[in-house]
Amino acid sequence: MVRPDASDLAQRLGRHAEAVCRHYLHNGHREGRYWLVGDVRNTPGRSMFVRLIGTKNGKGAAGKWTDYVATRVMLHICDRSLSHGRFTASTQHNVSALGEIA
C-alpha cells in the first residue's frame, strides 16, 4: 500500500471538509460556503473560517482555513507600538511575519 503524501491527504480531507468540520469543530456552524468557529481549539465564535467549497488545490481550495484573530491581534500590537514610539525587535519580527501571511 502506498502512503499518501501531505498534499494528497489535504485534498482528500478537502473533499469532505464539512464532515471534518462537523466532527472536529462541532462548536461552529456552516454559513454559505464556509464553516465558522472560534479557533482551532473548537471554541465557539466566528474568528476562524474554513472553506467548504472550492478548487481541488491552491489558494481557493476546500479545507483551507484562516483565523482572523491572529491578524487583528498583530495589528493591535503594531498600532500600540507605533503610538508609543516603540518598535522592538520582536514587534518588527511579528510585523514581517504578518506580511508573509497576507
Side-chain angles (χ1 to χ4, degrees):
M1 181 172 158
V2 177
R3 271 183 93 180
D5 63 3
S7 63
D8 180 51
L9 181 59
Q11 286 177 11
R12 289 193 293 158
L13 287 171
R15 286 194 298 266
H16 305 284
E18 186 168 356
V20 171
C21 288
R22 286 188 184 283
H23 181 79
Y24 291 103
L25 302 172
H26 54 83
N27 283 322
H29 65 279
R30 183 180 181 142
E31 232 177 77
R33 298 170 12 147
Y34 296 93
W35 188 266
L36 280 67
V37 69
D39 56 31
V40 295
R41 293 178 301 248
N42 192 34
T43 57
R46 300 174 51 86
S47 174
M48 190 172 106
F49 292 72
V50 180
R51 184 184 306 271
L52 300 176
I53 300 169
T55 60
K56 186 175 176 181
N57 54 33
K59 273 188 155 181
K64 293 278 186 173
W65 60 274
T66 302
D67 188 345
Y68 287 101
V69 166
T71 304
R72 281 187 277 162
V73 167
M74 284 308 307
L75 291 174
H76 179 71
I77 290 169
C78 292
D79 184 48
R80 287 187 49 87
S81 296
L82 288 172
S83 66
H84 289 90
R86 291 178 285 172
F87 218 64
T88 64
S90 64
T91 305
Q92 289 174 354
H93 168 76
N94 291 333
V95 169
S96 66
L98 182 61
E100 292 171 8
I101 294 170

